[in-house]
């Protein structure tokens, strides 16, 4: 899908007119509603494939399109990443055990706009160690979002996330990043979750992108398994991730993927 709206910065980042934010809100709301609904299904014994089937049915019921089915050969409406899987976990026959933590990532297309979001869940009882990992990851995302306003840089976003995570003795994954969004799934810029203040492209009103930090209890290094999708921590430490789609406004930021039910965090709601 091509996108000729707005203008491009010298870094190739598209600047959307503010009127387009309504389309992003609609797509983001559907993605967030699907993640709200799946929360009740995340229990010990359920398979990740069963969760993905439910998500696929919800996308179809909304007369929307999954952005991931058919993307580079991928055949599922979600990525479900359990425990030490960092991202791009493929749904299948694996059944959740008590205490498993998982990230569910969904991207839908509504009227040509892409809504992309992910959040953490727990099957059964959340241990204190995993609760802390999830909380720090969520808070790191929000620290990054707080840095979004015209005149700041993408380095400011990454620095806010990195310093918060590392101050809590956790590490930031370097191998994956956020991305530009809008009427395409992936576009410039690459939104790094680490960096130095004042570096990178300057944020401008009308930019739309994801922020999606992956935070590890152990070291930051990852490896991709033989399926060419699933990324895991090299040291098998637990990993967590939260993702919002956001747009830069005249004086700050709008989040397109807020949970309508207030279930964005597994200990909420």
């Amino acid at each position: 899908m091509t996108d000729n709206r707005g203008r491009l910065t010298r870094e190739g980042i598209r600047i959307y007119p503010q009127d387009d934010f309504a389309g992003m809100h609609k797509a983001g709301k559907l993605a967030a509603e699907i993640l709200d609904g799946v929360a009740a299904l995340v229990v010990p014994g359920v398979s990740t494939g069963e969760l993905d089937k439910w998500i696929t049915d919800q996308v179809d019921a909304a007369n929307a399109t999954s952005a991931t089915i058919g993307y580079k050969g991928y055949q599922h409406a979600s990525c479900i990443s359990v425990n030490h899987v960092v991202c791009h976990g493929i749904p299948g026959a694996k059944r959740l055990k008590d205490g498993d933590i998982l990230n569910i990532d969904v991207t839908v297309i509504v009227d040509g706009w892409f809504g992309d979001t992910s959040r953490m869940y727990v099957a059964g009882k959340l241990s204190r160690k995993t609760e802390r990992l999830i909380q720090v990851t969520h808070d790191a995302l929000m620290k990054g979002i707080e840095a979004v306003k015209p005149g700041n840089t993408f380095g400011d976003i990454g620095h806010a996330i990195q310093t918060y995570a590392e101050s809590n003795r956790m590490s930031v994954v370097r191998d994956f990043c956020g991305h530009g969004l809008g009427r395409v799934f992936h576009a410039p810029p690459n939104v790094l979750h680490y960096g130095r203040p004042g570096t990178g492209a300057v944020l401008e009103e009308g930019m739309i992108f994801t922020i999606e930090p992956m935070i590890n209890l152990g070291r930051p290094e990852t490896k991709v398994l033989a399926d060419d999708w699933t990324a895991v921590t090299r040291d098998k430490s637990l990993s967590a991730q939260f993702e919002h789609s956001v747009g830069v406004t005249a004086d700050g930021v709008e989040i397109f993927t807020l949970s309508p039910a207030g279930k964005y965090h597994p200990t909420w709601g």
Side-chain angles (χ1 to χ4, degrees):
M1 182 180 295
T2 59
D3 187 356
N4 297 316
R5 292 169 182 258
R7 64 177 177 85
L8 293 176
T9 69
R10 66 182 182 181
E11 295 89 1
I13 304 169
R14 188 163 298 280
I15 305 296
Y16 289 91
Q18 287 292 304
D19 290 350
D20 285 344
F21 279 27
M24 288 298 298
H25 275 292
K26 188 173 180 181
K29 181 172 184 283
L30 175 60
E33 285 174 340
I34 290 171
L35 291 188
D36 283 351
V38 79
L41 307 179
V42 179
V43 294
V46 72
S47 74
T48 55
E50 288 166 347
L51 296 175
D52 182 73
K53 174 64 166 59
W54 185 89
I55 290 167
T56 304
D57 290 345
Q58 299 307 302
V59 175
D60 291 343
N63 293 316
T65 302
S66 167
T68 53
I69 295 177
Y71 179 77
K72 297 185 177 180
Y74 195 77
Q75 293 302 315
H76 303 276
S78 64
C79 294
I80 302 181
S81 304
V82 182
N83 292 334
H84 72 290
V85 178
V86 174
C87 60
H88 303 158
I90 302 174
K94 178 181 176 63
R95 295 196 176 275
L96 300 178
K97 299 189 292 293
D98 185 55
D100 281 347
I101 61 170
L102 56 152
N103 176 273
I104 303 180
D105 190 338
V106 170
T107 307
V108 297
I109 310 170
V110 178
D111 299 331
W113 295 98
F114 286 69
D116 187 1
T117 185
S118 80
R119 65 182 82 153
M120 295 300 296
Y121 302 84
V122 60
K125 183 174 176 56
L126 190 63
S127 73
R128 296 186 71 175
K129 178 176 71 172
T130 51
E131 182 174 7
R132 182 169 176 270
L133 169 65
I134 289 170
Q135 189 65 55
V136 168
T137 305
H138 173 268
D139 292 347
L141 168 63
M142 300 313 293
K143 296 281 187 185
I145 291 174
E146 288 171 9
V148 177
K149 60 181 179 180
N152 276 4
T153 68
F154 282 96
D156 294 329
I157 298 172
H159 180 73
I161 293 168
Q162 179 183 7
T163 54
Y164 184 77
E166 292 179 352
S167 72
N168 282 278
R169 301 183 301 283
M170 298 180 192
S171 65
V172 179
V173 170
R174 264 71 164 175
D175 298 333
F176 301 94
C177 61
H179 52 89
L181 196 68
R183 293 182 69 83
V184 292
F185 194 178
H186 295 100
N190 289 333
V191 183
L192 305 181
H193 304 118
Y194 60 95
R196 300 194 314 276
T199 62
V202 176
L203 297 168
E204 296 184 40
E205 180 183 3
M207 289 180 175
I208 296 173
F209 49 89
T210 70
I211 306 177
E212 47 186 294
M214 290 141 271
I215 307 298
N216 297 345
L217 275 179
R219 293 184 55 81
E221 292 84 9
T222 70
K223 64 179 180 180
V224 176
L225 301 184
D227 59 27
D228 289 333
W229 283 104
T230 307
V232 300
T233 55
R234 281 191 174 272
D235 61 5
K236 294 187 168 55
S237 64
L238 292 174
S239 185
Q241 179 186 23
F242 284 90
E243 175 184 15
H244 272 314
S245 298
V246 303
V248 184
T249 65
D251 57 1
V253 62
E254 286 186 21
I255 302 174
F256 302 124
T257 45
L258 289 170
S259 165
K263 293 182 178 179
Y264 191 69
H265 187 291
T267 64
W268 298 353

